[in-house]
Amino acid sequence: MTEPDRCVLPRVPLMSGEAYRESLRRLKPRVFVDGRQIDSVVDAPELAPGVNALAYTYDFALREELAPIALANQTSRAKVVPRMLHVNEAAGDLLNKLEAVRVLCQETGCAQRYLAHDALNGLAQATGAIDDASGTREAGDRFRAYLAHAQDHDLAIGIAMTDAKGDRTRKPHEQPVQDAYVHVVRQDGKGIWISGAKAIVTGAPYMHELLVMPSRNMGPQDAAFAVCCAVAVDAPGVTIVSRVAGRPGEKLEHGAALFSRKYGQSTAVVLFEEVFVPWERVFYAGDWEHSHILTYSYATHHRHSCIAARAGFGDLLIGAGALMCEANGFDDPGKVSSLREPMVELIKIVEGFYACGVAASVYAAPDKYSKTFMPEPVFANIGKLLLATQIYDMHRLAHEVSGGLIVALPGPDEDHNPATSASLSEVLRANPSVPYDKRIEAARLIEDLTASYQGGWYSLISLHGGGSPAAMKQEIWRNYPVGSKVELVERLLERGVLHDPNRPITQNREPGKCCDNGCSAPGQAIMAPLTVQRTRGD
């Protein structure tokens, strides 16, 4: 398909933020927040920051100037679809997704809908492998039909992957409480019934549907737990027990939460009690041999997206840190080494892990069965590992350039106290060109982002969201071509050792890579393995 042809593809119907809110009013999920049942999710103050964040993603996709990153050409359907519901067809799709998520998170802190993108791409790979093994198209056809349904209705899809897990030393079938993992309890010609608990479901109350996926590798005795299906958020038997999204309506010590009162996200435990799922919404059930494919592919896609999400959050810290430097009297922090050094360190951290996301996109390769493009796993996992462990340094550096004022401010009521406000505005003003209230506003924003409940939440979700650092280290070691490095050194030492496929440290080998069309070819290059491997003596 030529580039002019791609430009005239018809768009699927896209919702606005307001249309998304109205769509939630038509749903009746069973939701509890802080012990109280919520009658209308879209009208509940406790969930407003989460609904606001999702509504923003819908309006974002309608902005024509953002169309190159907010929308995508799904050539398999010959339609333009929302980026967050797109199955990647090229390395450029991954780069555009990365940029879209970063821009979204600059505004909302966490875009949330990108989890659906990651899951749909992972599911494309899993169903492709299942069909190859079975010699049919059944799993893939169900997935493709669901993908079209999600795109045509512009759905917000929550990802129900992390099981409650119970005793971590036991496999799913060994759990004394079977509902610690979601599992199939019975099935017939119409569909399946599932029960169990998913422990961490982002944005569950204000989604349209939930995509239920297994959270680990399975053995033959765990076949009942190897289930992947789509469930309406208000299906009978579904109960959502949710945290508050952000910090709406709190009277805080240092003033209103300037960011998290507007945008935030909830996380929820979702309980499934014999929930019926028709076969057309079941992508696999009992295929324990393939459960690891979805777990691995989703994790890789999701870690790639997390890189962009925290880069957007890092942009907020960089901008707020620079504002505080100015408000504290340093118009040009670049001229003051004690400010320039931590600001550059903050920039280095943010752009460093984002660069890993770019590399993971450029080095992406098509999946063998689905042809969906997968981020290069080493770079994706390194980028996620860097942000997971350096989020605390990002907060520290923002504190370093801002000073102690961000947690030492008088309470907001003093801004209107006639006995104190005039004096405070006089003595707490630093830069003559920056009014007192603007300095205080920047300080309170940094407090909200880094030195509050919400700041701690962002730290923890960055550390464990998408998997623990240990899981990422395991994936880096599993995928990194250590064997190639060993053989490089052995050639230099002229050892003349022949390659032994059973030698543990040389099993993982990889040749160099080059653009598939040559580095001078126009268009989006795809990195591909060289056809000629190096041998000793080259």
Side-chain angles (χ1 to χ4, degrees), residues 193-222:
W193 284 258
I194 61 173
S195 291
K198 293 292 185 179
I200 305 173
V201 184
T202 297
Y206 41 86
M207 298 293 172
H208 298 118
E209 297 188 9
L210 301 174
L211 189 55
V212 179
M213 308 194 306
S215 64
R216 59 174 292 168
N217 296 351
M218 304 289 181
Q221 293 175 293
D222 299 317

Side-chain angles (χ1 to χ4, degrees), residues 123-308:
L123 188 52
Q125 293 177 235
T127 54
I130 290 171
D131 281 351
D132 179 76
S134 65
T136 71
R137 289 174 54 90
E138 184 177 359
D141 284 347
R142 286 180 183 173
F143 166 71
R144 286 182 285 273
Y146 182 73
L147 178 67
H149 163 72
Q151 293 171 343
D152 290 344
H153 292 85
D154 206 1
L155 295 183
I157 302 174
I159 307 307
M161 183 179 192
T162 304
D163 292 282
K165 296 181 181 177
D167 184 345
R168 301 309 200 264
T169 67
R170 298 173 181 262
K171 295 179 180 180
H173 74 276
E174 297 173 332
Q175 295 294 330
V177 177
Q178 293 287 283
D179 283 350
Y181 285 83
V182 170
H183 58 287
V184 177
V185 292
R186 56 192 173 95
Q187 66 183 61
D188 63 17
K190 295 181 179 179
I192 63 173
W193 284 258
I194 61 173
S195 291
K198 293 292 185 179
I200 305 173
V201 184
T202 297
Y206 41 86
M207 298 293 172
H208 298 118
E209 297 188 9
L210 301 174
L211 189 55
V212 179
M213 308 194 306
S215 64
R216 59 174 292 168
N217 296 351
M218 304 289 181
Q221 293 175 293
D222 299 317
F225 302 88
V227 57
C228 180
C229 58
V231 178
V233 74
D234 58 352
V238 174
T239 299
I240 299 171
V241 185
S242 178
R243 294 174 67 94
V244 171
R247 296 196 295 170
E250 289 187 30
K251 182 176 174 59
L252 306 170
E253 180 185 1
H254 293 144
L258 299 182
F259 187 82
S260 57
R261 68 176 175 179
K262 183 178 182 182
Y263 294 120
Q265 66 172 284
S266 68
T267 51
V269 174
V270 179
L271 305 175
F272 298 87
E273 299 177 62
E274 297 209 12
V275 176
F276 172 71
V277 187
W279 281 116
E280 60 266 25
R281 288 289 184 267
V282 179
F283 308 112
Y284 62 84
D287 292 279
W288 62 270
E289 303 97 326
H290 298 97
S291 62
H292 70 285
I293 297 175
L294 179 54
T295 303
Y296 165 70
S297 56
Y298 169 71
T300 306
H301 281 286
H302 185 47
R303 290 166 190 170
H304 182 255
S305 294
C306 286
I307 290 170

Side-chain angles (χ1 to χ4, degrees), residues 109 247 259-260 313 316-317 320 395 399 443-452 454-456 458-459:
R247 296 196 295 170
F259 187 82
S260 57
F313 182 76
L316 292 172
L317 296 185
H395 288 186
H399 297 164
R444 287 176 177 157
L445 174 62
I446 292 182
E447 180 197 18
D448 186 23
L449 293 176
T450 66
S452 66
Q454 194 70 10
Y458 272 115
S459 298

Side-chain angles (χ1 to χ4, degrees), residues 387-411:
L387 77 89
T389 54
Q390 293 181 331
I391 185 70
Y392 302 95
D393 291 316
M394 291 164 64
H395 288 186
R396 173 183 58 81
L397 292 163
H399 297 164
E400 188 173 334
V401 300
S402 300
L405 191 66
I406 61 173
V407 292
L409 287 170

Side-chain angles (χ1 to χ4, degrees), residues 293-360:
I293 297 175
L294 179 54
T295 303
Y296 165 70
S297 56
Y298 169 71
T300 306
H301 281 286
H302 185 47
R303 290 166 190 170
H304 182 255
S305 294
C306 286
I307 290 170
R310 288 308 166 266
F313 182 76
D315 292 334
L316 292 172
L317 296 185
I318 293 168
L323 279 177
M324 277 304 299
C325 289
E326 180 187 53
N328 288 341
F330 301 99
D331 291 314
D332 185 358
K335 294 181 179 179
V336 184
S337 62
S338 62
L339 298 176
R340 181 183 63 248
E341 296 303 317
M343 284 297 296
V344 169
E345 182 70 14
L346 179 55
I347 293 168
K348 182 192 79 173
I349 289 173
V350 173
E351 300 303 342
F353 64 70
Y354 189 72
C356 289
V358 173

